[in-house]
């Protein structure tokens, strides 16, 4: 069975369509999934021609129930045809990005998609009465009907960096770093590493907040007052976590390779070294939710939009990552469903030893001697 992977167009004036259309030239993607683009067929055709992507055709479908499983599909999500203006953010492109996102998430929540991959949006132009979020992560968190919390995680190979706080101004970060928040994110990260990546006993590095992890209170007290208590509590809960560690030392010395994941305190503390290490191959994964969402780990790229310079590697990896995580979750859930209980050890009844009987002992001894004589 092929997986149905929804792909939202993002901002049509950025590099979203470019990286998407180029990524879908990989023939192996069509072997394992049916891509369903949510956006504008006219905008897709415009980008496809601009970047000379002619190795496949796009089938226009009315709805997810009408798609061709052997083709790249697109579902028109707006009656208005947005105008493409490379490198220029606009209210029209923002609304077009939102309607595509909304249509795809509706199908996702109705179990008509196996996963969703989102192209980059402009966080300012997409704002409207139905979207008041600083980014995709918070938007998808709000859609969970079970009150699940989202964890922003950047992945590439064995490098995984997760965040305690996501899209916050620097002036608000320290106030949002609490023992409870760190413990919650550690729990989400530990569970995701097991279920989504099949790591049996994950090892997690926890970064400090201040330079040099506070220098024992000289440069800040959050490490001693907040982060260390969270680590101790997580350890008592069976989570293998270590720290607090200085970000520059961990990434600069390549010691991050000793861990299955790193938990950073804020956005740039984790993403700056991650992107420097992975270059163009990072994937943004929203962990902790009942559905799978990934995206390329880059923005709209207005500076290179329309110039045929954008690399599709991160987008391609995001599609493969979505499929792999869906597979891993289903396998994990199947293996852990209705586990057989361990049998209780049999309770042997304790019998009090009988008192020593000298007469019986003498009789047994005599019988034994008689048997020896008969044998000779």
């Amino acid at each position: 069975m092929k997986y149905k992977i929804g792909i939202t167009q993002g901002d049509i004036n950025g590099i979203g369509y470019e990286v998407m259309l180029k990524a879908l030239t990989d023939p192996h993607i069509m072997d394992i999934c049916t891509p369903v683009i949510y956006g504008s067929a006219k905008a897709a055709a415009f980008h496809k021609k601009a970047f000379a992507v002619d190795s496949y055709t796009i089938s226009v479908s009315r709805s997810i129930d009408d798609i061709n499983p052997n083709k790249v599909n697109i579902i028109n999500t707006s009656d208005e045809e947005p105008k493409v203006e490379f490198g220029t953010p606009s209210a029209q492109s923002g609304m077009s990005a939102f309607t595509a996102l909304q249509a795809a998430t509706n199908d996702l929540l109705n179990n008509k998609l196996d996963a969703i991959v989102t192209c980059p949006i402009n966080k300012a132009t997409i704002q409207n009465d139905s979207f008041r979020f600083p980014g995709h992560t918070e938007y998808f968190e709000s859609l969970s009907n079970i009150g699940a919390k989202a964890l922003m995680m950047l992945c590439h190979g064995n490098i995984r960096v997760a965040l305690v706080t996501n899209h916050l101004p620097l002036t608000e970060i320290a106030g949002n770093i609490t023992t409870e928040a760190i413990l919650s994110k550690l729990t989400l990260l530990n569970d995701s590493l097991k279920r989504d990546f099949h790591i049996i006993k994950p090892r997690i590095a926890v970064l400090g907040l201040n330079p040099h992890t506070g220098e024992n209170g000289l440069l800040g007290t959050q490490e001693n007052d907040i982060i260390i208590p969270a680590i101790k509590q997580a350890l008592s809960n069976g989570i293998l976590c270590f720290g607090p560690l200085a970000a520059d030392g961990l990434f600069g010395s390549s010691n991050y390779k000793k861990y299955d994941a790193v938990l950073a305190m804020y956005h740039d503390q984790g993403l700056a070294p991650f992107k420097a290490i992975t270059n163009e191959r990072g994937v943004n994964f929203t962990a902790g939710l009942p559905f799978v969402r990934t995206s390329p780990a880059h923005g709209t790229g207005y500076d290179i939009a329309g110039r045929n310079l954008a690399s599709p590697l991160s987008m391609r990896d995001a599609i493969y990552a979505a499929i792999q995580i869906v597979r891993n979750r289903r396998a994990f859930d199947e293996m852990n469903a209705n586990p057989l209980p361990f049998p209780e050890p049999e309770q042997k009844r304790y019998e009090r030893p009988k008192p020593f009987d000298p007469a019986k002992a003498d009789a047994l001894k005599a019988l034994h001697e008689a048997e020896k004589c008969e044998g000779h």
Side-chain angles (χ1 to χ4, degrees):
M1 183 186 70
K2 285 187 175 183
Y3 297 93
K4 294 179 183 176
I5 306 299
I7 305 175
T8 61
Q9 67 176 3
D11 192 303
I12 61 171
N13 295 333
I15 61 173
Y17 265 117
E18 179 180 352
V19 296
M20 177 209 308
L21 295 172
K22 288 180 177 179
L24 293 176
T25 61
D26 182 345
H28 299 296
I29 290 178
M30 291 301 301
D31 290 338
I32 56 177
C33 82
T34 299
V36 184
I37 303 169
Y38 289 78
S40 164
K42 184 176 179 180
F46 178 87
H47 286 82
K48 199 168 182 286
K49 182 177 180 181
F51 303 116
V53 178
D54 54 9
S55 59
Y56 60 87
T57 58
I58 299 178
S59 175
V60 181
S61 304
R62 293 186 298 272
S63 71
I64 188 66
D65 302 316
D66 188 44
I67 62 172
N68 186 328
N70 299 312
K71 284 185 175 292
V72 176
N73 297 266
I74 189 166
I75 298 173
N76 276 310
T77 56
S78 177
D79 294 333
E80 297 182 4
E81 289 294 348
K83 182 181 179 182
V84 178
E85 298 176 288
F86 286 124
T88 305
S90 68
Q92 186 187 43
S93 66
M95 181 53 66
S96 180
F98 171 71
T99 55
L101 177 63
Q102 187 178 49
T105 52
N106 284 340
D107 284 344
L108 179 70
L109 296 176
N110 286 317
N111 298 316
K112 294 186 176 182
L113 292 172
D114 293 295
I116 189 170
V117 181
T118 59
C119 284
I121 58 172
N122 182 307
K123 294 176 177 60
T125 62
I126 198 175
Q127 298 296 319
N128 60 70
D129 292 339
S130 300
F131 190 101
R132 295 292 182 191
F133 305 97
H136 277 118
T137 302
E138 295 80 5
Y139 170 74
F140 281 106
E141 182 180 66
S142 73
L143 297 175
S144 173
N145 58 7
I146 60 173
K149 294 297 182 182
L151 176 71
M152 186 174 176
M153 188 191 310
L154 281 295
C155 316
H156 175 63
N158 292 325
I159 306 171
R160 303 172 191 90
V161 178
L163 306 178
V164 175
T165 61
N166 299 332
H167 302 105
L168 284 180
L170 283 174
T171 54
E172 298 179 16
I173 289 173
N176 283 273
I177 299 296
T178 65
T179 299
E180 294 75 19
I182 296 170
L183 183 60
S184 173
K185 298 294 185 175
L186 276 171
T187 303
L188 287 173
L189 179 54
N190 188 65
D191 291 344
S192 177
L193 291 171
K194 290 179 178 180
R195 186 182 181 215
D196 300 329
F197 298 93
H198 285 193
I199 300 172
I200 298 174
K201 271 290 185 182
R203 292 168 52 88
I204 302 170
V206 182
L207 300 183
L209 175 65
N210 300 296
H212 309 293
T213 61
E215 290 283 11
N216 200 27
L218 180 65
L219 302 178
T221 61
Q222 285 86 355
E223 283 73 20
N224 292 333
D225 297 343
I226 297 172
I227 300 176
I228 290 176
I231 292 173
K232 289 181 177 179
Q233 182 60 50
L235 286 168
S236 69
N237 294 344
I239 299 173
L240 296 180
C241 54
F242 308 86
L245 305 173
D248 57 345
L250 181 73
F251 289 107
S253 64
S254 296
N255 282 337
Y256 65 89
K257 296 179 181 178
K258 298 178 181 178
Y259 302 93
D260 298 298
V262 177
L263 183 66
M265 293 297 114
Y266 58 93
H267 187 279
D268 285 13
Q269 184 189 48
L271 268 62
F274 174 85
K275 291 188 176 183
I277 293 167
T278 61
N279 197 9
E280 298 176 337
R281 301 297 298 272
V283 173
N284 185 353
F285 166 48
T286 305
L289 299 180
F291 43 79
V292 175
R293 175 258 170 173
T294 64
S295 74
H298 58 69
T300 53
Y302 287 136
D303 57 326
I304 59 171
R307 299 170 60 189
N308 204 17
L309 298 176
S311 169
L313 294 179
S314 182
M315 184 67 191
R316 187 191 67 179
D317 289 352
I319 296 171
Y320 279 120
I323 296 168
Q324 188 61 54
I325 292 169
V326 170
R327 283 178 172 174
N328 288 348
R329 282 191 179 185
R330 292 178 181 177
F332 181 90
D333 293 345
E334 183 178 352
M335 288 187 294
N336 289 275
N338 302 317
L340 292 173
F342 284 100
E344 294 291 335
E346 293 184 6
Q347 298 291 330
K348 291 187 176 181
R349 185 177 178 181
Y350 176 75
E351 296 183 358
R352 185 185 300 276
K354 296 179 179 179
F356 178 71
D357 186 349
K360 186 179 287 187
D362 290 341
L364 289 172
K365 184 177 180 181
L367 179 62
H368 180 63
E369 291 297 333
E371 289 176 347
K372 287 175 63 177
C373 293
E374 289 178 2
H376 289 292

